[in-house]
Amino acid sequence: MSAYYHETNGHNGTSTKQHRNGNGTYPQKNSGDEYMMPEEEWERESVLDPAWERQQKKTFTAWCNSHLRKVETSIENIEEDFQNGLKLMLLLEVISNEQLPKPDRGRMRFHKIANVNKALDFIASKGVKLMVGAEEIVDGNLKMTLGMIWTIILRFAIQDISVEEMSAKEGLLLWCQRKTSPYKNVNVQNFHTSFKDGLAFCALIHRHRPDLLDYNKLTKEDPLTNLNLAFDIAEKHLDIPKMLDAEEINNSIKADEKVVMTYVSSYYHAFSTTQKAEQAASRICKVLSINQENEQMMSEYERLASDLLEWIKQKRPWLENRATDNTLNGTQAKLGEFRDYCRSQKPPKLSQKAKLETDFNTLQTRLRLSNRPIFTPTEGKLIANIVEAWKGLELAEKGFEDWLLRELRRLERLDHLGKKFQHKCDIHEEWSVGKIDLLKSADFKQYSLNDLRALLRKHLAFESDLAAHQDRVEQIAAIAQELNVLGYDQINRVNQRCEKICNEWDQLSNLTKQRRSALTEAEKIVENIDSLFLEYAKKAASFSNWLDGAREDLVDMFFIHTLDEISGLIEAHNQFKATLGDANSEFKTIIRLVEEARQICHENNLEITPNPYTNIESDEITSKWNEVQTLVPQRDQDLQNEHSKQQQNERFRMQFAQKANVVGPWIEQQHEQLQQLTVQVVGTLEQHQKQLEAMETSFIQYRPHIDELEKYNQQIQECMIFENRHTPYTMEVIRVAWEQLNTQLTRQIAEIKNQIYTLEKKGISEEQMNEFRAAFAHFDKSRSRRLDPKEFRSCLIACGYNIREDRQGDADFQRIMADVDPSQTGFVTFESFLDFMTRENSEEDNVDQLIQAFKTLSADKPYITAAELKRELPADQAVWCMQRMKPYTGADSVAGAYDYKTFSSALYGESDL
């Protein structure tokens, strides 16, 4: 039995009892329990206000039943149903989730006192100092029973409430004030008058469940309606029993604070579960958002990869086709198409390729940082496939422009040779007209001796002429042979004409020999050939042939590409002009021979006869000589025009060279600067990113210089200029260097963004990131952004890893190498090193956290329903989950239940959906 000590209260004269411990001492007040002490000292002889007693009895009974119903029992009379101590012990077990000692089952008074003492001892073990004895509970003392229940409520329902380091009553009050602060007509200052009009209860409900009531329709003037509305909604939707009576609360001047606190604490515990659900839903939303973004990036990668591979598939056969229509215009048109491909078609696709690589690396980084499985594109769309396809495209593109230019040169040469062949054939055919008939003629048998001798000498002159034409025939054959080698498109006509001329020439040679033989036999008969005519014939034949050659050279077309070549032609022409004086003397000599013959005939009154030794008339010689004199200044003008053209071409070369000699070193300088920025990061990552973006802006601003160089290159190609000794740079070299520079910059920017993303995601400080980067750079002596195993091991030791120099240390290092170099390349890249270090130095969300979040939403059930998903998650993410979750098949499954554990494991790659 417990003993009590009675003390007179100095304030009102009433007596109080203090519970005495078994050793006869009296308990001291604990500062941590002071919130219970003044109001909780229930005076045994004092009279409790009847209204407050009714309120407490109803409220405490409802509170007890809200817990006892969990074990399928209840109480009706609070002072009687706890007398034997059994339901009191059961209540404590339910609210504490702990097992109390086995109760005594007897019906005797000492059995009941023993059970109540077990309950009171359990309460005391929780740090609560009781002012009630077991006999008072067994005797049905209502006031002490209510005091005991209030103590239990304080300890198990209110004491654990904590808001901003305030606990129990102050914490619960602060919670009410914060939740109701946005609502008009609500000012919670205490637990007896602030809740009288019911608006505070309605505000708490609306704050957490706005779907249950419309607060704007409530008025302060109708407190009963407000109170009943709050109590009904709490009982129906929040599983909070009606512990208060609306009329009593409204009619009382000052409601019992303990009653109101008990009821409000039920709101706090009910809504704290909702808060946990909101946090769980927030976590799920975050995880699902990451997966949705990743899926969008995967879809975009597949689309871009398909588009790029299809474009390469279309362009590669066109670049591999090294066939033209064998015409100059058609080849020039194809060159224009290739320039359009280099300027307009390829650059966007190169950017698309760089974006694909960047997006792929970014996606893999996001997946690694969020503990998701790595992304594997569909077959044939890996980065390696794209790189291989692009290499194939560049291999097909390599030399395509050079081949086109060589083809243009060949076709131009063909066009020149074709015209030259036709010109020489026209001259030869004009010369050979009637020669065969003349050689076949036998009319010399009827000639007199003088005529025969004249005819023989004429034939000798013809043989000289024939020998002089031998060179032209050989030139015709050589040109035809070259046209065959170069694949002239009208080669059949050329071969036919060449064959006809060669056959005719062979026939002329044979007939000439035959006629000479015949004339030689008749030479005995032919005498007294006029030596003067003979001399004329010889000189005229040679001079006429020289005139024909000079005329041919003066009208001959030239095909040159440099100033040196045109200067050589001008020099040769000047040398030719230097021989015109001797030619003029020869011309006068030949004309003099004719004039002498005419003079002799005139002096001897003879009629001059045609020269029997040659068909070349003096008028013909004169005409050819005059034509040569006319062609000389024309040739001078043509050579001068060509010289001006070559000077212009030289200016174009110089113009291109001056620009290329500026652009080329600039690109090389930017390559070196970018390489330096890649190796060493100065300042923060954001500053480094701004440096790279500033460089990207300068590249965009420098683009007009590249376009200007393209313009100069087009001028050079249109002028058929194929060589430029003033610069080591070609347009193809500039293009490749420019594309590589932009690609490297794009990759570097993406890498820095991934590092920034890593900082944000992994919680790694920038100082740590700089330490990782500095350690890597220290051991990367070659500045290749990769370490061999020996360098990597030294780097890890420098970063604080304890890798022993023994067999166990080697095994540990090999496990690390398998993680950072899964492809077994023998090197560790900077990206793999950074990913490893960030994973080692940060905390990451995992599958267990996600499963726990779903468990919270489902109220600790092993499954979750569609209604719960729709209620707790945004609509689109709820639908997204239900489309991917498998139905729950457990024994306790219900209709529409989903298996969230399998779904969570699949998100982190630990199972397959």
Side-chain angles (χ1 to χ4, degrees), residues 712-727:
Y712 294 157
N713 183 61
Q714 181 176 353
Q715 288 179 340
I716 286 176
Q717 290 183 347
E718 289 174 352
C719 293
M720 307 300 290
I721 300 172
F722 305 104
E723 298 176 352
N724 194 339
R725 58 189 173 85
H726 303 295
T727 178

Side-chain angles (χ1 to χ4, degrees), residues 290 293-294 297 362-370 757:
I290 292 173
E293 292 172 2
N294 291 342
M297 293 184 69
T362 300
L363 177 59
Q364 299 294 39
T365 299
R366 288 170 61 92
L367 291 173
R368 286 196 304 272
L369 294 178
S370 56
Y757 182 81

Side-chain angles (χ1 to χ4, degrees), residues 381-597:
K381 296 179 183 178
L382 296 170
I383 289 294
N385 300 131
I386 294 173
V387 172
E388 184 66 25
W390 191 265
K391 287 182 179 178
L393 178 71
E394 293 184 330
L395 183 64
E397 178 186 332
K398 185 177 181 182
F400 187 83
E401 186 175 20
D402 291 340
W403 167 75
L404 279 175
L405 295 177
R406 289 196 303 270
E407 190 69 7
L408 280 174
R409 198 180 304 175
R410 182 184 71 82
L411 293 173
E412 187 179 27
R413 174 72 176 165
L414 281 175
D415 184 70
H416 170 72
L417 290 176
K419 292 179 180 178
K420 188 173 183 179
F421 175 84
Q422 183 177 359
H423 179 64
K424 288 186 177 293
C425 288
D426 290 342
I427 294 175
H428 175 78
E429 288 172 352
E430 180 183 0
W431 171 83
S432 66
V433 171
K435 295 293 190 296
I436 292 178
D437 294 337
L438 178 63
L439 291 173
K440 288 181 178 180
S441 175
D443 56 342
F444 63 89
K445 294 181 179 180
Q446 301 176 0
Y447 286 177
S448 63
L449 180 60
N450 292 333
D451 294 333
L452 186 59
R453 288 181 176 176
L455 188 60
L456 179 59
R457 290 171 181 169
K458 181 178 180 181
H459 183 72
L460 291 175
F462 173 76
E463 285 185 342
S464 298
D465 192 16
L466 186 68
H469 278 276
Q470 175 71 30
D471 182 63
R472 181 178 292 112
V473 173
E474 290 176 355
Q475 290 180 3
I476 291 173
I479 293 173
Q481 178 64 28
E482 188 172 359
L483 288 173
N484 274 279
V485 172
L486 295 177
Y488 189 53
D489 59 330
Q490 300 181 13
I491 194 63
N492 292 332
R493 292 173 56 188
V494 170
N495 289 336
Q496 291 174 3
R497 194 171 186 183
C498 181
E499 184 179 7
K500 178 182 177 183
I501 290 174
C502 290
N503 292 337
E504 183 181 73
W505 180 259
D506 293 337
Q507 189 178 8
L508 281 172
S509 299
N510 293 331
L511 289 175
T512 299
K513 293 177 181 179
Q514 294 172 7
R515 187 173 180 82
R516 184 179 181 185
S517 178
L519 291 175
T520 301
E521 291 178 0
E523 189 177 10
K524 297 177 182 180
I525 305 171
V526 180
E527 296 287 345
N528 300 322
I529 304 293
D530 192 340
S531 60
L532 189 61
F533 278 148
L534 180 59
E535 185 179 359
Y536 168 83
K538 290 180 179 180
K539 288 184 177 293
S542 177
F543 190 69
S544 177
N545 186 63
W546 179 85
L547 286 174
D548 290 338
R551 289 163 54 204
E552 182 177 348
D553 291 338
L554 289 172
V555 299
D556 188 24
M557 292 173 288
F558 37 80
F559 179 68
I560 58 178
H561 295 286
T562 65
L563 274 173
D564 293 338
E565 292 176 354
I566 189 62
S567 298
L569 288 179
I570 293 175
E571 179 64 24
H573 183 64
N574 290 333
Q575 292 176 1
F576 168 75
K577 290 193 295 183
T579 64
L580 289 179
D582 295 336
N584 187 46
S585 299
E586 183 70 9
F587 171 72
K588 291 179 179 180
T589 299
I590 293 172
I591 297 301
R592 188 178 66 251
L593 289 174
V594 175
E595 293 298 329
E596 286 177 0

Side-chain angles (χ1 to χ4, degrees), residues 149-213:
I149 297 301
W150 171 240
T151 301
I152 293 173
I153 293 173
L154 279 175
R155 174 57 183 86
F156 293 99
I158 299 178
Q159 181 179 343
D160 293 334
I161 296 175
S162 177
V163 179
E164 288 194 356
E165 300 182 357
M166 293 187 179
S167 60
K169 176 181 177 180
E170 290 79 5
L172 183 61
L173 185 63
L174 179 59
W175 177 79
C176 294
Q177 291 171 344
R178 288 198 167 183
K179 295 299 181 179
T180 60
S181 60
Y183 294 87
K184 64 180 181 178
N185 297 327
V186 178
N187 183 18
V188 177
Q189 297 297 327
N190 51 59
F191 289 109
H192 43 75
T193 59
S194 298
F195 289 85
K196 282 190 63 174
D197 58 6
L199 290 178
F201 292 117
C202 293
L204 287 174
I205 295 174
H206 186 268
R207 180 64 181 269
H208 295 89
R209 291 292 302 274
D211 57 313
L212 297 180
L213 61 83

Side-chain angles (χ1 to χ4, degrees), residues 39 41 47 75 122 173 196 312 546 553 555 651 663 671 685 714 745 751 838 850-851 890:
E39 296 180 353
E41 293 179 356
V47 179
I75 62 173
F122 177 80
L173 185 63
K196 282 190 63 174
I312 294 175
W546 179 85
D553 291 338
V555 299
R651 286 195 298 272
V663 173
H671 268 294
L685 289 177
Q714 181 176 353
L745 177 61
E751 180 181 316
T838 53
L850 186 60
I851 291 176

Side-chain angles (χ1 to χ4, degrees), residues 275-336:
Q275 184 176 359
K276 293 179 181 178
E278 291 174 353
Q279 293 174 350
S282 176
R283 176 180 291 274
I284 294 173
C285 290
K286 180 180 178 182
V287 173
L288 298 183
S289 296
I290 292 173
N291 279 271
Q292 288 174 320
E293 292 172 2
N294 291 342
E295 285 188 357
Q296 291 176 358
M297 293 184 69
M298 293 175 189
S299 177
E300 180 66 9
Y301 173 89
E302 293 283 341
R303 185 187 68 78
L304 291 177
S306 300
D307 178 68
L308 182 58
L309 290 172
E310 181 62 28
W311 180 81
I312 294 175
K313 182 179 179 182
Q314 293 175 0
K315 289 298 177 182
R316 186 169 177 178
W318 178 72
L319 292 171
E320 291 174 343
N321 180 19
R322 301 298 170 89
T324 66
D325 59 357
N326 216 24
T327 65
L328 194 61
N329 292 334
T331 305
Q332 288 175 338
K334 195 161 188 175
L335 179 61

Side-chain angles (χ1 to χ4, degrees), residues 38 103 129 226 253 453 540 565 588 595 638 659 705 758 896:
K129 297 188 183 299
N226 300 336
I253 299 176
R453 288 181 176 176
E565 292 176 354
K588 291 179 179 180
E595 293 298 329
D638 292 339
K659 192 66 178 178
H705 295 279
T758 300

